[in-house]
Amino acid sequence: MAQIGAVVGREFSYELLSTVAGLSKERLEEALAQLVRSELIFCRGEIPQAIYTFKHALVRDAAYSGLLKSRRAALHAAIAGAFEQRFPDLVETQPETLAHHLTEAGLFQKAEAYWLQAGKKAAMRSANLEAIAHLQRGIEASGHLPEGAGKDKLELAFHFALGPCLIATQGPASNKAMATFARARELCERLGDPPEQLQVMFWLTTASVMRGELPVAEETIAALLQLAEARDDLPALLNAMRGQAMIRLFMGQLTGAHEAIGRAYEAFEASSEDDRLAARSAGQDAGVADLALMSWALWLLGQPDTAIVRMDAAIRRADAISHPHSQAYACYYACILHALRGEFLVAQGHAERCIALSEEHGFRQWRLARALRGICVASLDPSPSALGEIGAVLDGYRSAGYQLAITALDVLLCPPLLNSHDYEAALELIEHGLATANRNSERILEAELYRLKARVLVARGGPAVEAEAQALLDRALSTGRSQHARTLELRAATDQAALWIHQGRREEALNFLAPIYASFTEGFETHDLKVAKVLLDGLR
C-alpha cells in the first residue's frame, strides 16, 4: 500500500487510492490504518475524504524505489486513468500532475498534450519558471515519439510556448533563448511554412537587436514586414512594425522611428483582443511597447511633455492588463527616460518597481535596472559604493552578450563620474559609448556623447582644451540636427553658449541659443529648458 501511495506522490487521497489499489474497502482501510500506526504516514480528515502524507520524503522515496519498473509504470498508468475518469477538475487545474503520471507510464503521446496545457496555463498567469519546467518536460518526452511531421509539429508547439517565457526570464539574447529560437526555426523549415514561422523570425531578429546587430536586424525586419503583410498575419505584423520602429530609434533615425511607431500603435488600436494576445508571444504587450518607444522618440524630437503622457499611458496599460513582464518593460523604459531628463527621484521609483517585479517573477532580462537605480542614487547623492555596483552590473550585462542601450548607460553614468572629478573614468566611458555607436550603429545618443566629452574636457582643463571642446560641440550640434534630435541639439547649444560666454562672446551666444529655445512649444518646466532659459535671461 505504501508503494502505491508513493507512486501518487508525497501526498495521496483515500478516494484515489481506493480507485487504484483494487482492494476491498475493509482491506484498504486496515492497510492504511497500519501505516498510520507505524507512523510512516499521517492522516488528515475522515474517510472517504482522508488525505495521507508520508512522514518523510525519504520514506516515500524508499517505497517508490522498491518497485519494479514494470510495476511502477503500470501504477502510474492506473493513476493517470483514475485522474481522467474520476477527477476531471484536478485534470483541468493541474494538468502537469496527469502529464507526470502518463510520462512515467511511458504513455508519451498522451502526456504531450497535458504538458503543453500545463505550460500554457502557467505562462498565462506569468508563472514563467513553472511554465518552462513543464514545457521542457514535454520537449524531453517528445524525444520518445516516432520521427515525422507529427512529432515536429508537436515539438514546435512546445518551443513556441517556451519562447516568451525565456524572453521574460532570461532575455531574448540568452543562450537558452537563442537555442530555443534556432530549434524552432529548424522545425519550421522542416514543416514547410507553418503559422509560427513569422514569430520565430521576430524572435531571432529581436535577439540580433539585443546583441547590437542593428544593421542586420534592420534588413531582417523589413523582410518580415513584407511577409506578415503578404500573409495578412496581424499579430506578426504588430510585432514587426514595432520592431522596425525600435531599430530605427536606436539607430538614431528618429523621424522614421516616430512615423513607424505611430503606424504600429494605430494598427494595435484597431486590432482585436485575440490578435493582441497572440502578439504577446513576443514577450510583452505590443501596445505597452509601442507607447514606451514612442515616448523616447517624442522626447528626443523635442516634445518632452507629450513624451511623458505616452510613457504614463504605457504604464497604465501594463497595469490594466496585469501582465508582469509588460509592467517591468514599461518601468524599465520609464526609468531611463526620466533619468535622461534629469528626474532621478522619479527614475529611481521606476527602477525599484522593475527590480521588484523581476525578483518576484524571475525576470533576468531587466538586470540593468539595478545599474539604473545605482545611477539615480549616485546622481542624487554621489558615493563610491553606488558607482561600484553599477560597474559590476554593466560587466555582467555585456558578458552575457547584450549590447543594446549600453550607450544610454554610458550617458547616464558620465555625470556622476564628472561630479566626483573622476575625469579619466568619464572619458573612458564616453569613448566606450562612441565605439559602441560606431560598431553597432546605435546612434540614438551619439550627439549627447560628443557633448559630454566636451564637458569633461573643459572640467579637466589643459592646453587647447577650448578648441577641442568647440569641435566636439560642433559635432554634437550637427549630429543632433541631422537626426532631428531637438532635445539633444538644445543641450549642445546651451553648452556652446556657456562656452562662448566664458570667452566673452555674449552676443553670439544669445543669437545662437535664443532661436533654438524659441522653437520649443512645450516642456518649459523640464530641466533642459529651464537651464537654457536661465542662461538666456542672463544674456538679455
Side-chain angles (χ1 to χ4, degrees), residues 298-369:
L298 287 166
W299 176 71
L300 289 162
L301 289 166
Q303 300 178 54
D305 291 344
T306 310
I308 292 303
V309 171
R310 295 292 182 270
M311 184 57 79
D312 289 347
I315 292 171
R316 283 198 305 274
R317 171 159 178 81
D319 290 340
I321 62 175
S322 298
H323 188 243
H325 194 246
S326 297
Q327 291 172 313
Y329 182 104
C331 287
Y332 180 78
Y333 275 82
C335 173
I336 295 181
L337 177 64
H338 283 283
L340 287 169
R341 290 162 57 102
E343 297 156 351
F344 294 107
L345 272 176
V346 178
Q348 185 177 348
H350 288 300
E352 295 284 6
R353 189 178 180 209
C354 184
I355 292 166
L357 285 162
S358 298
E359 289 177 348
E360 180 181 356
H361 297 283
F363 302 152
R364 295 180 60 197
Q365 182 180 354
W366 308 113
R367 69 191 79 185
L368 279 188

Side-chain angles (χ1 to χ4, degrees), residues 212-539:
E213 302 160 357
L214 294 176
V216 173
E218 187 180 28
E219 293 180 11
T220 309
I221 206 72
L224 180 55
L225 265 170
Q226 290 182 342
L227 285 171
E229 288 172 347
R231 300 181 189 183
D232 197 26
D233 187 333
L234 187 54
L237 186 62
L238 291 175
N239 286 330
M241 292 172 77
R242 184 246 296 187
Q244 184 183 61
M246 182 180 185
I247 292 165
R248 288 178 177 177
L249 177 66
F250 279 94
M251 292 182 77
Q253 302 169 12
L254 302 185
T255 53
H258 185 243
E259 291 167 3
I261 206 65
R263 291 192 299 270
Y265 190 63
E266 284 178 12
F268 177 82
E269 287 281 87
S271 64
S272 68
E273 190 60 29
D274 285 346
D275 285 332
R276 294 179 182 186
L277 285 171
R280 211 174 286 173
S281 60
Q284 60 281 132
D285 180 75
V288 171
D290 288 343
L291 289 164
L293 294 169
M294 191 185 297
S295 72
W296 279 32
L298 287 166
W299 176 71
L300 289 162
L301 289 166
Q303 300 178 54
D305 291 344
T306 310
I308 292 303
V309 171
R310 295 292 182 270
M311 184 57 79
D312 289 347
I315 292 171
R316 283 198 305 274
R317 171 159 178 81
D319 290 340
I321 62 175
S322 298
H323 188 243
H325 194 246
S326 297
Q327 291 172 313
Y329 182 104
C331 287
Y332 180 78
Y333 275 82
C335 173
I336 295 181
L337 177 64
H338 283 283
L340 287 169
R341 290 162 57 102
E343 297 156 351
F344 294 107
L345 272 176
V346 178
Q348 185 177 348
H350 288 300
E352 295 284 6
R353 189 178 180 209
C354 184
I355 292 166
L357 285 162
S358 298
E359 289 177 348
E360 180 181 356
H361 297 283
F363 302 152
R364 295 180 60 197
Q365 182 180 354
W366 308 113
R367 69 191 79 185
L368 279 188
R370 293 186 179 278
L372 289 165
R373 178 179 62 183
I375 287 171
C376 293
V377 170
S379 300
L380 294 165
D381 183 18
S383 70
S385 60
L387 293 174
E389 179 190 9
I390 297 164
V393 174
L394 284 174
D395 289 343
Y397 184 77
R398 293 191 192 103
S399 65
Y402 288 84
Q403 291 288 318
L404 190 72
I406 283 289
T407 56
L409 275 292
D410 293 334
V411 163
L412 290 171
L413 186 52
C414 182
L417 291 172
L418 184 58
N419 291 337
S420 62
H421 308 294
D422 194 347
Y423 304 126
E424 297 310 316
L427 285 173
E428 183 181 345
L429 196 69
I430 291 166
E431 293 300 341
H432 174 271
L434 290 170
T436 301
N438 289 324
R439 182 179 63 253
N440 299 347
S441 296
E442 186 182 302
R443 303 191 181 278
I444 181 173
L445 294 170
E446 185 178 13
E448 186 71 346
L449 288 164
Y450 289 126
R451 182 188 76 88
L452 288 169
K453 185 175 181 180
R455 177 167 280 201
V456 175
L457 290 176
V458 169
R460 187 182 66 173
V465 70
E466 290 189 2
E468 191 175 355
Q470 182 64 66
L472 287 164
L473 289 172
D474 288 342
R475 190 83 179 267
L477 285 161
S478 63
T479 302
R481 285 167 180 161
S482 69
Q483 294 179 351
H484 305 282
R486 291 174 60 236
T487 294
L488 303 186
E489 180 191 1
L490 175 66
R491 287 184 171 183
T494 302
D495 280 13
Q496 173 121 303
L499 181 62
W500 285 355
I501 291 168
H502 177 71
Q503 295 170 347
R505 302 162 61 184
R506 294 176 62 84
E507 187 174 351
E508 286 180 80
L510 175 62
N511 293 335
F512 179 72
L513 181 58
I516 296 174
Y517 177 84
S519 69
F520 281 78
T521 58
E522 60 177 76
F524 298 106
E525 294 303 312
T526 60
H527 178 73
D528 293 324
L529 274 86
K530 282 182 175 180
V531 170
K533 187 176 187 303
V534 168
L535 205 63
L536 287 169
D537 288 346
L539 289 168

Side-chain angles (χ1 to χ4, degrees), residues 122-276:
M124 281 297 292
R125 63 177 193 276
S126 294
N128 291 294
L129 298 178
E130 180 184 334
I132 289 168
H134 297 329
L135 295 168
Q136 287 179 334
R137 285 289 305 274
I139 292 169
E140 290 167 8
S142 71
H144 297 276
L145 301 179
E147 296 295 331
K151 176 187 175 182
D152 289 345
K153 188 174 181 180
L154 185 60
E155 187 185 346
L156 178 59
F158 277 102
H159 285 291
F160 197 70
L162 182 60
C165 301
L166 291 173
I167 290 171
T169 55
Q170 301 191 26
S174 66
N175 290 335
K176 286 187 178 179
M178 290 290 290
T180 292
F181 303 161
R183 178 59 177 165
R185 177 176 58 189
E186 180 185 342
L187 291 165
C188 285
E189 290 170 353
R190 279 158 55 166
L191 288 167
D193 190 14
E196 297 88 349
Q197 184 176 23
L198 296 186
Q199 182 53 56
V200 173
M201 285 179 64
F202 183 74
W203 285 342
L204 290 163
T205 304
T206 302
S208 293
V209 170
M210 296 304 296
R211 289 179 178 268
E213 302 160 357
L214 294 176
V216 173
E218 187 180 28
E219 293 180 11
T220 309
I221 206 72
L224 180 55
L225 265 170
Q226 290 182 342
L227 285 171
E229 288 172 347
R231 300 181 189 183
D232 197 26
D233 187 333
L234 187 54
L237 186 62
L238 291 175
N239 286 330
M241 292 172 77
R242 184 246 296 187
Q244 184 183 61
M246 182 180 185
I247 292 165
R248 288 178 177 177
L249 177 66
F250 279 94
M251 292 182 77
Q253 302 169 12
L254 302 185
T255 53
H258 185 243
E259 291 167 3
I261 206 65
R263 291 192 299 270
Y265 190 63
E266 284 178 12
F268 177 82
E269 287 281 87
S271 64
S272 68
E273 190 60 29
D274 285 346
D275 285 332
R276 294 179 182 186

